[in-house]
Amino acid sequence: MASIAEVREPVLTGERITLHRVHKTYSAGEQPVLKDINLEIEPGELVSLVGPSGCGKSTMLKILAGLIDFEAGEVAIGDQQPQEGRRDVGFMLQQAVLMPWRSVRENVKLPFDIAGLKGQDVEDRVDQLIELVGLDHAVEKSPWELSGGMQQRVSLARALALDPKVMLLDEPFSALDEFKREHLGLEFTHMHEYMGKTTILVTHSIPEAVMMSDRIIALGAHPGRVVADVKVDLPRPRTAGLVGTSRFQEIAQEVREALVGEDGSIA
Amino acid sequence: MTTIDTSAQTRADEVLVPAPRPQKRSFLDSTPAKVLLPAIVLATAIGLWEISVQAGLVNPITVPAASDTFIALFEMMQTEYFWAATWLTLQETLLGFAVGSSLGLVIGALTGTFKVFRTAIWPFVVAFQNTPRVALAPVFLTWFGFGMTSKVVMAAVICFFPVVINTVAGLASVDDNARVLFRTYGASTPQTFFKLTLPTAAPISFAGIKTALTLALLGAIVGEFVGAAEGLGVLVKEFNFQLEVASGFAVVVFLAVIGLVLYGLIELLERRLITWQH
């Protein structure tokens, strides 16, 4: 197990993620929520999962986080199966889920507490994380004193705490208003470009997916399956100005067309 | 460690937080108003009470004047029997509260944590919650006698239920997303309990404990009414029988003060223990 001193410098390559013929049904007799999913995600790649509700995009993330089981197929992060409590996997939800009895600093420290890590190394790392997400002026504040965007920054710092090689993001910006969402999304993209953690982003915003990703996986519903695998060949670092380019619009259109008729109501 | 320079960008999420506008603070929000206005109401009420008795609007045999009540209280406070009664009632209240709320915490924690307890016990909690529990006071007198025990039991039984119900509600209020988060960190069951469940449940559970303390005093007094040789409840009853209404009223006023002091103390404790409530 890597000590904090070893993981202080960012890991520049993430883990490879593979899903092979993955099958998942929630209850017998129903359409599978994931049917024969094959996916290979390269180390350091940022891949978005988009699609209507019921397409299994959140289910896929939960499987990768080791939170739920699946009936058939193989899933691997690096050379290991998904499992709860893997320190090399960071997880971020739509809600910030901060503990109101902990300050910003203490919230970021939570993963270290649970992992039983303490000492000066941990304190330094927590300081760095808070600086990284730009909250150094709010270290001792309580969660209720923060705006939605700031709360999500704390959540991001916490997800990065143990320096995971893989980041699983379940619509992390969708509870924010449009302006903040775009801004935080872009900021995360820049962190990703710097840190190179393999990242899977679940989102229902096609422009967000195009702006952030290397690849967009469009999923159809009933049963959940891959309907398109679109490469995003926009230059990095990504900038807000890319939205106006014709290439951006073409990619967005390609994803949109792949999802036509996949609004979830059509079996 | 190199950090990403984001300072050049606009911190959109902070810009959008509205700058605190100079608010027009109403006089009603100021501390003098919060002290002064209730004081005026109290003074007016006592004044009206005094005047209506002095003017003969009410029968002074059944309703004593405010001044007589306070004089009676002052005189009583010089006597030994008054303080003995106070000490006894306080003991009954606090013992009943300690027993009732600790049992409530244990049963509430078991009910809120284990489904088997929930299924087995919850219907009875609801049934008893809706039973007027003071009706049990004569039963407890028969079972536990004229002394302190029957009052302690009455107080405990009354204050047990709000603690159970609030503890169960508190434990049920843990956010599912937070549970998911703790699972992704591989938190153990004790870690999840102490770092998530307990702090989440504490404020709600404590609200039940606050109610319980007030109810314990009520239970002790009811117990004394039904049958006791000593205590503040006995004094209220006796003074009224002897038509010493001023003294009876005085004890009630004193009981109100005790209730307030107990509530103040438990609120102080709450602020110490649960600092994240706002």
Side-chain angles (χ1 to χ4, degrees), chain A residues 147-200:
Chain A
S147 68
M150 288 164 89
Q151 291 188 5
Q152 212 47 297
R153 283 169 187 273
V154 180
S155 171
L156 175 60
R158 186 182 57 195
L160 290 168
L162 301 176
D163 201 15
K165 294 178 176 172
V166 170
M167 291 285 280
L168 304 173
L169 313 180
D170 196 354
E171 303 194 32
F173 312 122
S174 61
L176 306 177
D177 65 55
E178 198 55 37
F179 186 44
K180 277 185 208 171
R181 175 179 191 156
E182 198 181 298
H183 184 83
L184 204 53
L186 204 55
E187 220 177 291
F188 178 82
T189 309
H190 293 152
M191 283 184 200
H192 166 76
E193 283 158 2
Y194 161 76
M195 296 188 279
K197 298 179 192 300
T198 313
T199 304
I200 300 187

Side-chain angles (χ1 to χ4, degrees), chain A residues 67 84 114 153 183 194, chain B residues 2 10 13 177 183-184 191:
Chain A
L67 293 168
E84 267 179 36
I114 293 175
R153 283 169 187 273
H183 184 83
Y194 161 76
Chain B
T2 12
T10 325
D13 51 341
N177 282 324
R183 282 179 59 195
T184 65
Q191 278 180 327

